[in-house]
Amino acid sequence: MSSATELFARRELLWNLTLRELRSRYKRSILGWGWSLLNPIAFMLIYSFAFSLVMRATPEAGEPSGLSSYAFFLMCGLLPWTFFSVSVSAAMTSIVENAGLVGKVRFPREHLVISAILAGLFTLAVEMVVLSVALLLAGNMVLPWLPLVFLTALVVGVFSIGIGLVLATAHVYFRDMSYLWTIALQAWFFATPIVYPPHLVTERHFFVDHPTILRIYNDMPMAVVVRIFRNLMYDLRMPRAIDYGLLSVYAIVMLLAGWWIFDRFEGRFAEEL
C-alpha cells in the first residue's frame, strides 16, 4: 500500500518518464513513429503470404459481421500481441538501462516499468485507430465496440505491468533473462492462435481426446486477449463474460504478484547494478 500511495503521489514523474520513453523510442530514426505502423504492416504481409497463400490457413467469416479477410483476422490479434511483447521486453530492461538514475536518485522504481507499458499503450491506441479506419473502409462498423476495445487494452496493460515487474526484478539479478524471455516469447507466440485460425488446432484428434489440454490452450492469457479483440473488431460481437473474467483474474493476480516480488527485492537494486 505504501508503494501504491507513493506511486500516485509522484504521478507527474510517471508522466514525464512515459513522455521520455515515447520520445526515445524512435530517436534519430528517419521515419520516427511511422515505424509503429510499418512494422505491423510488414508482419501482416509476411504472415499473409506464408499462412494464407502458402499454407491456406483461411479463417472463418466473422460472426455476425460476415467479414472474411485473413489480413484483418491477423491484425486484430497481432496488434495486441505486439504491444504485449514489445512493452514487456522494454519494461524488463528498464531498471538495468537506467542504472545511473536508480543508484543516485530516490524515487519509486516501479515508475520505470510502468512508464514502458504506458508508452506501449499509447502506441497501441494509435495502431488501433488506424486499424479501425481500415475496418470501416472494408464495411465493418467497429465504432460502437471501440470503448470496449480500449477498456480491454487497459486490462491487458495491467497484466503486462505485472509481468514486467517480475521480469525487471529477475533481469537485475540474472542478465540471461533477456535471452530466455526472447525464446519464451517465440514459443508463446506460436502457441497462441494469432497467425493461424484456432480451429486448425482445436479440431485435431489429440486435443479432442484430451479436453483438459484443450481447455488450457484456449484459456492461456494471450489466447484470451486475442479472442476478445477478434470478437470486438473482427466479429463485431460481445465477447464471452468468462473471457473477461479470466482476463481480469490474470491481470489482478499478475499485478499483485509482480508488485510483491518487485517490492521484496527492490532494496538491493542499486548494489546489484
Side-chain angles (χ1 to χ4, degrees):
M1 289 297 297
S2 60
S3 298
T5 302
E6 188 178 8
L7 186 71
F8 180 77
R10 302 202 180 185
R11 56 191 179 276
E12 185 176 347
L13 172 62
L14 177 60
W15 173 248
N16 289 329
L17 288 172
T18 303
L19 290 178
R20 188 193 67 163
E21 181 73 21
L22 287 169
R23 294 190 190 104
S24 64
R25 182 155 294 186
Y26 299 104
K27 188 178 182 180
R28 297 184 180 178
S29 170
I30 295 177
L31 295 179
W33 279 92
W35 285 112
S36 66
L37 301 178
L38 289 178
N39 280 333
I41 292 174
F43 281 120
M44 181 192 71
L45 294 175
I46 294 169
Y47 288 129
S48 294
F49 174 78
F51 286 88
S52 180
L53 298 179
V54 177
M55 300 181 65
R56 304 292 182 182
T58 305
E60 298 176 352
E63 176 62 40
S65 69
L67 180 65
S68 182
S69 168
Y70 178 83
F72 285 127
F73 174 85
L74 173 63
M75 293 304 288
C76 289
L78 185 61
L79 290 184
W81 170 266
T82 301
F83 154 72
F84 171 75
S85 59
V86 173
S87 298
V88 172
S89 298
M92 178 182 63
T93 60
S94 60
I95 303 297
V96 173
E97 289 180 352
N98 291 277
L101 191 62
V102 171
K104 295 178 181 178
V105 182
R106 173 62 186 170
F107 68 100
R109 312 294 196 251
E110 297 93 336
H111 275 25
L112 295 172
V113 174
I114 298 174
S115 65
I117 304 299
L118 291 179
L121 279 173
F122 179 83
T123 303
L124 177 63
V126 173
E127 294 170 347
M128 282 297 176
V129 168
V130 174
L131 176 59
S132 299
V133 172
L135 285 167
L136 287 171
L137 293 176
N140 231 34
M141 180 50 67
V142 72
L143 290 180
W145 302 101
L146 288 183
L148 275 178
V149 168
F150 289 106
L151 176 62
T152 304
L154 290 177
V155 180
V156 179
V158 173
F159 174 72
S160 303
I161 289 173
I163 293 185
L165 289 169
V166 174
L167 293 177
T169 303
H171 192 240
V172 171
Y173 293 89
F174 309 103
R175 302 303 164 85
D176 290 341
M177 277 304 303
S178 57
Y179 304 105
L180 294 173
W181 177 241
T182 300
I183 296 172
L185 272 180
Q186 291 176 346
W188 198 349
F189 176 78
F190 285 105
T192 304
I194 298 172
V195 297
Y196 57 85
H199 69 81
L200 292 181
V201 173
T202 58
E203 293 176 357
R204 292 189 175 274
H205 293 299
F206 174 80
F207 285 92
V208 174
D209 296 337
H210 298 82
T212 301
I213 298 178
L214 178 59
R215 192 176 300 111
I216 293 172
Y217 170 79
N218 284 326
D219 292 342
M220 289 190 301
M222 290 310 296
V224 174
V225 170
V226 169
R227 187 161 59 243
I228 291 175
F229 273 96
R230 282 190 177 137
N231 285 161
L232 293 171
M233 305 191 74
Y234 187 80
D235 300 321
L236 300 183
R237 60 185 168 92
M238 179 65 69
R240 299 183 307 165
I242 192 172
D243 282 342
Y244 269 122
L246 279 172
L247 181 57
S248 300
V249 170
Y250 288 143
I252 294 172
V253 171
M254 202 66 243
L255 178 64
L256 294 177
W259 211 302
W260 181 83
I261 291 172
F262 191 92
D263 194 56
R264 174 79 169 75
F265 293 96
E266 184 216 351
R268 292 182 54 197
F269 279 1
E271 59 186 87
E272 290 293 333
L273 294 172

